[in-house]
Amino acid sequence: MTAREISGKIGGKVEVDGSFDVKAYYAGDFLSRVMGKAPSDSAWITVMNNINVAGVAVLAEIKIIVICEGAVPAPPLIDKCREEGIALVTTDKGVYECCRLIG
């Protein structure tokens, strides 16, 4: 599923586009846990919205970040996602609801 497809399923907004086709998903906010457990080439569903999210995504080889609960991504996060080629989607929906709608 691509960033645009995920965005459509959750009523979200694509902040940074990417044509990655992910087949795995990981939901979590504890950054060290995400680094160790998220599958590579996955979409990460979180409420975290600062630049550290991009760093974790790079280390874990995550292709799409989905920021939930209306959290607004910090401008440095948007810039870093563009720089690193990571798609970024935002939504007002909660983490559980996003997982349910995507799945």
Side-chain angles (χ1 to χ4, degrees):
M1 192 175 301
T2 67
R4 290 204 178 275
E5 291 169 330
I6 290 171
S7 178
K9 284 187 171 239
I10 63 174
K13 176 183 176 190
V14 176
E15 303 285 346
V16 178
D17 203 2
S19 60
F20 311 107
D21 188 19
V22 299
K23 294 177 178 36
Y25 303 89
Y26 190 86
D29 300 317
F30 194 42
L31 300 181
S32 61
R33 188 105 171 133
V34 174
M35 282 189 294
K37 297 289 185 177
S40 60
D41 299 327
S42 65
W44 174 18
I45 302 162
T46 185
V47 297
M48 301 291 292
N49 65 345
N50 62 51
I51 193 167
N52 295 334
V53 172
V56 169
V58 168
L59 290 172
E61 299 178 350
I62 291 167
K63 301 301 182 197
I64 300 173
I65 300 166
V66 179
I67 300 178
C68 302
E69 297 184 14
V72 176
L77 172 57
I78 294 170
D79 294 342
K80 192 65 172 174
C81 284
R82 281 192 186 110
E83 179 184 320
E84 296 291 344
I86 300 165
L88 181 63
V89 175
T90 58
T91 182
D92 288 336
K93 297 205 174 18
V95 172
Y96 173 79
E97 189 174 3
C98 284
C99 293
R100 187 179 59 76
L101 291 170
I102 291 169

